[in-house]
Amino acid sequence: MIKLTAEEEAILRGDHGRLQQKALENIVLYAEALGAEELCKVTKATLGLGAQPYLNTIQSDDYNKIFSRVYMCTDEILDINNNKFSEDCFCMTCTENCDTDDYEEVGQTQDFFEKNKAFLEIARRAGVSMGSTCVPYLIGWLPLKGEHFVTTESSNAMFCNSLLGACGNPDGIEASAWSSICGRTPKWGLHCPENRYATHEFRIECKADTITDWDVIGYTIGRLLPAGGLPILTGDFAYPSTAEIKQLFATIATTSGAVMCHILGMTPEAPTMEIATGGKGVVETIAVTESDYRQSFDMLCDAGSSEVQMVSLGCPHYSLEEIQDVARYLRGKKVKTGLKLHIWTAYPIKEMARASGHLAVIEDAGGRLLTSSCPIMVGDSVVKGVKGVALDGAKQAHYIRSMSDAAVYYGDKFRCLDTAISGKWSR
Ligand code: F3S
């Protein structure tokens, strides 16, 4: 039996309208299924919205019908056009299936692009802010210590739990929508302090000096972490930078179900091993060796060399600093004719890159700065006709294999940029 506050009882009675009532009904059912005994107030949310391809199963362009059936899980048609998401929860869009401005560059149709815009416009009018990124923490969506959030992006959940001390689980797009509307989520998983303790120590014995190293280390930790484990990193390494942490957390969440990771002495809930483990100690210590690192690298990067038709950078989305690295490297160089160089970021960051002069340098070289999506979210159309692709994000290198038969090459951004210039990946 879920314990509800007076405010929650009022929402369930329908005092705040049918949409909020239905959202809370769903959250209560969800909480019961999870065995949660109460709900917690959610003050930040990121949501998967727009024209997601699986919405086509409803075979309708009526967004009220689509939203009711898919997001709210009901045959009753709820009116999203005249309703608001929770005013106490800062709701922002997660990555979408389209770039903000262009559809031809990624092989999509104008119809799909316009439909995506129309669906997002309905969400905007309902109170959802347009951020459309997997790195909302870089553009002002920033839950702090003890704050409860929901998100559809696992790498975001990992970053906010681990580095910021905020509390949240990655949810499906439906549960995130319910929470965004009624401002509540079941108190379970990482919303509960007792589930935030480290269980597995990962002693880093391999190189840990670059962004790519941390990307591969995260991928390796995820591979070696037993199900249900929560890692803590120890070893003789310099604390990773923001860009390195971004990669580390994205890849742990790619190869495992973990959505929190402590770094001893660095992250807020791990000042000591004793505090990080709740005084219980870890159940196992696992070394990450050079050999583990090499094995992961070989899983991510195909052997040999070949012509490459596409280079895609920015998984998770690039920060302004990473875009600056690219612009500095590309200044005075030219991308091979016919090769697509895509650099993915959030559109507020693209505007900063424009104001900083980086966008002009990248475009002069023949690259494109794209926003709000990525090859995985765009889907097959972006890799159509591509026989070789080079990427600097292990998460993307991992997933793109299921979308394409292309050779997949993985390496640091400068090696990928050299490939964009020469048109060939060389081992
Ligand atoms: Fe972001 Fe797409 Fe990578 S959503 S984390 S760029 S797979």
Side-chain angles (χ1 to χ4, degrees):
M1 187 70 179
I2 311 290
K3 202 167 70 197
L4 297 175
T5 63
E7 196 183 344
E8 288 156 2
E9 295 282 9
I11 297 173
L12 262 192
R13 274 198 310 272
D15 294 5
H16 298 266
R18 179 61 185 137
L19 187 68
Q20 283 216 21
Q21 182 186 32
K22 180 63 191 167
L24 192 58
E25 284 171 5
N26 287 350
I27 285 290
V28 168
L29 285 173
Y30 184 32
E32 283 169 354
L34 292 164
E37 291 174 359
E38 55 187 310
L39 309 180
C40 43
K41 261 193 167 173
V42 172
T43 46
K44 300 272 187 310
T46 75
L47 291 155
L49 292 168
Q52 313 247 7
Y54 87 117
L55 304 183
N56 293 336
T57 51
I58 303 302
Q59 297 187 326
S60 170
D61 283 335
D62 174 353
Y63 197 66
N64 280 336
K65 188 170 176 188
I66 293 169
F67 195 85
S68 301
R69 295 281 294 277
V70 177
Y71 287 83
M72 302 306 291
C73 309
T74 177
D75 287 336
E76 175 189 353
I77 306 299
L78 299 164
D79 184 6
I80 183 67
N81 281 297
N82 295 306
N83 273 287
K84 287 272 177 217
F85 280 55
S86 169
E87 292 188 349
D88 299 326
C89 179
F90 178 36
C91 305
M92 189 182 261
T93 47
C94 199
T95 37
E96 311 155 17
N97 298 91
C98 296
D99 169 64
T100 309
D101 304 311
D102 196 354
Y103 54 90
E104 287 170 306
E105 180 68 19
V106 291
Q108 290 172 322
T109 64
Q110 184 172 4
D111 275 359
F112 181 68
F113 179 76
E114 299 295 348
K115 185 162 140 182
N116 187 57
K117 278 224 174 316
F119 284 6
L120 288 174
E121 174 58 18
I122 295 168
R124 188 192 66 74
R125 287 201 303 266
V128 179
S129 291
M130 298 294 120
S132 306
T133 180
C134 48
V135 292
Y137 47 85
L138 291 183
I139 59 166
W141 183 98
L142 210 56
L144 295 182
K145 192 163 171 48
E147 196 174 343
H148 296 277
F149 66 91
V150 294
T151 181
T152 45
E153 171 55 47
S154 59
S155 67
N156 181 37
M158 183 68 112
F159 191 97
C160 297
N161 279 310
S162 312
L163 200 64
L164 306 181
C167 307
N169 306 303
D171 273 306
I173 65 166
E174 302 83 3
S176 297
W178 309 335
S179 292
S180 306
I181 292 167
C182 70
R184 301 292 189 284
T185 193
K187 191 170 180 193
W188 74 289
L190 294 174
H191 293 288
C192 307
E194 64 273 21
N195 295 330
R196 299 172 65 88
Y197 294 125
T199 58
H200 289 74
E201 178 184 1
F202 280 82
R203 211 173 47 242
I204 308 303
E205 295 179 358
C206 62
K207 57 184 171 166
D209 304 322
T210 65
I211 293 177
T212 303
D213 290 344
W214 285 102
D215 206 26
V216 177
I217 288 169
Y219 194 83
T220 311
I221 291 170
R223 282 200 301 112
L224 302 178
L225 181 68
L230 198 159
I232 180 163
L233 276 51
T234 63
D236 184 21
F237 54 79
Y239 290 148
S241 66
T242 311
E244 289 165 343
I245 288 245
K246 181 160 69 74
Q247 299 307 127
L248 169 77
F249 289 164
T251 50
I252 295 176
T254 299
T255 43
S256 77
V259 277
M260 184 167 186
C261 171
H262 300 286
I263 303 175
L264 186 63
M266 181 187 187
T267 53
E269 291 165 66
T272 65
M273 192 59 111
E274 166 130 32
I275 292 172
T277 61
K280 291 181 284 199
V282 292
V283 295
E284 192 181 0
T285 297
I286 300 166
V288 179
T289 63
E290 289 296 341
S291 154
D292 297 320
Y293 179 112
R294 180 45 54 193
Q295 199 179 346
S296 292
F297 202 95
D298 290 345
M299 290 165 75
L300 292 163
C301 185
D302 285 357
S305 60
S306 73
E307 304 286 322
V308 161
Q309 293 76 35
M310 185 172 122
V311 173
S312 180
L313 308 179
C315 170
H317 282 171
Y318 264 179
S319 65
L320 184 63
E321 190 179 355
E322 291 171 297
I323 293 169
Q324 176 180 271
D325 289 345
V326 171
R328 285 182 176 164
Y329 197 75
L330 281 182
R331 186 175 288 280
K333 298 175 181 149
K334 286 284 176 211
V335 169
K336 187 175 162 74
T337 308
L339 183 145
K340 287 185 171 175
L341 169 60
H342 292 164
I343 298 141
W344 292 93
T345 190
Y347 58 79
I349 298 175
K350 180 175 178 180
E351 288 311 309
M352 291 160 79
R354 189 192 305 279
S356 307
H358 308 321
L359 178 62
V361 174
I362 290 167
E363 289 183 344
D364 280 354
R368 293 290 306 269
L369 200 50
L370 300 171
T371 60
S372 308
S373 193
C374 72
I376 306 303
M377 294 298 292
V378 167
D380 300 350
S381 66
V382 72
V383 283
K384 199 162 170 217
V386 169
K387 296 198 167 50
V389 57
L391 309 139
D392 74 336
K395 178 174 176 179
Q396 209 141 121
H398 175 88
Y399 285 120
I400 212 158
R401 290 166 195 280
S402 58
M403 281 169 46
S404 161
D405 294 331
V408 177
Y409 301 115
Y410 165 76
D412 74 36
K413 65 165 85 71
F414 303 111
R415 184 149 185 219
C416 289
L417 290 171
D418 286 341
T419 302
I421 292 160
S422 70
K424 187 163 182 184
W425 179 271
S426 348
R427 256 289 193 196

